Amino acid sequence: MMSSASSSAKPTIATSSAHAVPSYLNADSLGPWGIYLQQIDRVTPYLGSLARWVETLKRPKRALIVDVPIELDNGTIAHYEGYRVQHNTSRGPGKGGVRFHQDVTLSEVMALSAWMSVKNAAVNVPYGGAKGGIRVDPRTLSRAELERLTRRYTSEINIIIGPNKDIPAPDVNTNEQVMAWMMDTYSMNSGSTSTGVVTGKPISLGGSLGRREATGRGVFVVGSEAARNLGLDIAGARVAVQGFGNVGSVAAKLFHEAGAKVVAVQDHRTSLYEPAGFDVPALIEHVANNGTIEGFRAETVSSAQFWEVDCDILIPAALEGQITAENAPRIKARMVIEGANGPTTPEADDILRERNILVAPDVIANAGGVTVSYFEWVQDFSSFFWTEEEINQRLVRIMQEAFRSIWQVAQENKVTLRTAAFIVACSRILQAREVRGLYP
């Protein structure tokens, strides 16, 4: 099913919360999309004359739902539900990851695509926001089945992606290999090699040096800037990391190298606590060998206890909706650096603000990945590639400048960093919408 702003479907119906909710969502349970709408409500009073365009931000430009049938290794046919949502393309082609997860929903993908619009505008890269996903537990599939799933999904969304239309990238449970399959499938369908259709590819296929570590590196850069503004010395600071995948592990490694102590980690299997600080390189090696932090020599704590750990910096780097009104009152960190997308609910945001805990929001804190994806895209178009040192230097400069601008807006308007990031980003998006006008 495809729905778009220009479709002939019936008009959306306004709810009691004054939001127009599309018919394909449950107005009583909007999920992550509802969180995004609340964030837009909070920024609207600061948009001035651009507020007349704010409804643009509350509707995805295009949502594609596809059936993804594949033949399993045992000969049976399995069907999976896939999505690709393009939230806004006023500033450039859509850009956003593809996740494979059993709990993926349309509401989630819509929200993630909208956060990508905000994220890209916040760091001022020339993209709009998009996101994709398949509702599947990839751990249940063989490598061959995963390849067939990826290629079939790519063929199904082929009509709306492209190097100048919408550029997917890795996300939860996807990686360089998945991007290679997507790039090859798109290229075979178009009749020519198109390296720029995805980012996060292997280096041998036009991938960029530094891309794999970019999101975690961005978390570290933003965390360091925020710590400096708070007068917190990174050396000796205690760090807790939820999620020890690509983002969490890289951020932990960089904080460890800067002299911080990583005192708590959590993944999908367990939570560990080590007040003296983990040997992070050894923990990373353990995860590489075992696929989980479970079994590493440290004290095991409950999921609830993880959020109560004495620390200075908390990095949620797993999935959305992790910091809630239930656990926010127990958090003891001085600041939260969001490595995941949407990990903090609006209710938790308010509690953390009341408790004077700084939150560096996802739309700036984890924007390192899309920034280096932009570098990769540019390099693919020019067929000229930069050194890793050049890439990291450019990444640090962009992230620092973006954070400092957002910090200044927050101070001037006496708002949270999240609202400040939305003020900066939404203003840029709506300015582009306004000067482009409506066609036809």
Side-chain angles (χ1 to χ4, degrees):
M1 177 188 76
M2 180 181 291
S3 59
S4 71
S6 59
S7 71
S8 59
K10 293 180 180 180
T12 52
I13 301 172
T15 68
S16 58
S17 61
H19 290 128
V21 177
S23 61
Y24 47 83
L25 291 185
N26 181 355
D28 297 324
S29 181
L30 287 176
W33 182 249
I35 293 176
Y36 165 75
L37 291 178
Q38 291 182 59
Q39 293 168 343
I40 293 300
D41 285 343
R42 294 185 180 201
V43 75
T44 301
Y46 301 94
L47 296 178
S49 62
L50 291 172
R52 69 186 286 254
W53 292 95
V54 77
E55 289 296 318
T56 300
L57 301 173
K58 298 179 183 180
R59 294 165 170 80
K61 175 183 177 62
R62 183 177 291 113
L64 179 64
I65 303 174
V66 295
D67 175 43
V68 187
I70 65 167
E71 182 177 352
L72 299 179
D73 293 342
N74 63 11
T76 62
I77 306 300
H79 291 256
Y80 300 92
E81 195 169 297
Y83 310 96
R84 187 69 186 176
V85 176
Q86 296 165 351
H87 172 257
N88 188 282
T89 57
S90 294
R91 301 181 66 253
K95 187 78 186 77
V98 173
R99 61 177 50 186
F100 293 172
H101 195 276
Q102 61 273 18
D103 296 327
V104 165
T105 65
L106 179 58
S107 169
E108 177 187 47
V109 178
M110 286 170 59
L112 291 167
S113 72
W115 286 323
M116 283 303 303
S117 293
V118 176
K119 185 184 303 183
N120 289 325
V123 292
N124 209 20
V125 294
Y127 290 136
K131 207 75 174 185
I134 302 177
R135 193 173 174 85
V136 61
D137 182 351
R139 294 171 297 182
T140 65
L141 301 180
S142 69
R143 177 184 170 88
E145 290 168 339
L146 188 63
E147 178 177 355
R148 292 196 288 273
L149 183 77
T150 301
R151 290 185 180 277
R152 181 68 191 221
Y153 169 73
T154 305
S155 294
E156 295 294 346
I157 67 169
N158 189 82
I159 57 175
I160 65 170
I161 64 172
N164 291 303
K165 295 163 67 176
D166 181 0
I167 306 107
D171 197 71
V172 175
N173 292 329
T174 57
N175 55 22
E176 293 178 352
Q177 179 60 74
V178 171
M179 293 304 107
W181 289 329
M182 291 190 73
M183 187 276 281
D184 182 68
T185 303
Y186 180 87
S187 297
M188 292 300 100
N189 288 339
S190 63
S192 62
T193 298
S194 179
T195 57
V197 68
V198 298
T199 58
K201 304 180 297 296
I203 300 299
S204 59
L205 292 179
S208 177
L209 295 169
R211 172 61 183 85
R212 185 181 303 165
E213 301 81 17
T215 306
R217 187 176 300 279
V219 169
F220 172 73
V221 171
V222 167
S224 298
E225 287 292 305
R228 182 177 60 81
N229 289 346
L230 287 182
L232 173 63
D233 190 354
I234 292 294
R238 297 162 301 167
V239 180
V241 182
Q242 187 212 24
F244 211 71
N246 184 50
V247 178
S249 64
V250 171
K253 177 175 178 287
L254 293 173
F255 275 105
H256 175 76
E257 291 174 350
K261 294 192 298 182
V262 178
V263 298
V265 292
Q266 181 185 88
D267 69 1
H268 64 285
R269 296 286 291 273
T270 191
S271 303
L272 301 178
Y273 177 57
E274 177 51 74
F278 286 94
D279 180 344
V280 174
L283 181 58
I284 291 174
E285 183 178 0
H286 176 85
V287 172
N289 293 332
N290 299 279
T292 174
I293 64 173
E294 189 174 45
F296 194 77
R297 184 174 296 179
E299 178 185 351
T300 300
V301 297
S302 69
S303 296
Q305 288 174 316
F306 171 83
W307 300 106
E308 301 171 1
V309 165
D310 278 317
C311 63
D312 301 297
I313 302 171
L314 173 62
I315 303 174
L319 296 173
E320 62 271 5
Q322 299 299 301
I323 301 179
T324 65
E326 194 275 328
N327 60 23
R330 306 198 307 272
I331 289 173
K332 298 176 181 176
R334 291 183 61 184
M335 64 179 185
V336 174
I337 312 298
E338 295 185 336
N341 292 308
T344 309
T345 68
E347 296 79 12
D349 248 346
D350 293 338
I351 292 170
L352 295 175
R353 182 180 189 182
E354 290 168 3
R355 299 184 60 219
N356 214 23
I357 297 174
L358 180 74
V359 177
D362 51 359
V363 291
I364 178 64
N366 69 21
V370 75
T371 301
V372 177
S373 277
Y374 168 59
F375 297 163
E376 180 177 334
W377 184 68
V378 169
Q379 291 171 92
D380 285 339
F381 271 117
S382 64
S383 296
F384 181 81
F385 292 84
W386 308 332
T387 67
E388 188 165 1
E389 181 181 7
E390 290 174 318
I391 288 163
N392 288 339
Q393 287 175 346
R394 287 181 166 97
L395 170 63
V396 170
R397 176 179 56 80
I398 286 175
M399 297 291 288
Q400 286 178 336
E401 290 176 355
F403 180 81
R404 290 167 186 170
S405 296
I406 289 167
W407 182 274
Q408 182 176 347
V409 170
Q411 300 304 305
E412 290 173 353
N413 292 278
K414 295 181 173 56
V415 296
T416 65
L417 289 178
R418 190 184 313 281
T419 298
F422 271 69
I423 291 172
V424 171
C426 293
S427 294
R428 286 172 176 163
I429 295 169
L430 297 183
Q431 284 168 359
R433 175 72 280 169
E434 184 171 65
V435 296
R436 289 183 64 159
L438 297 175
Y439 175 83

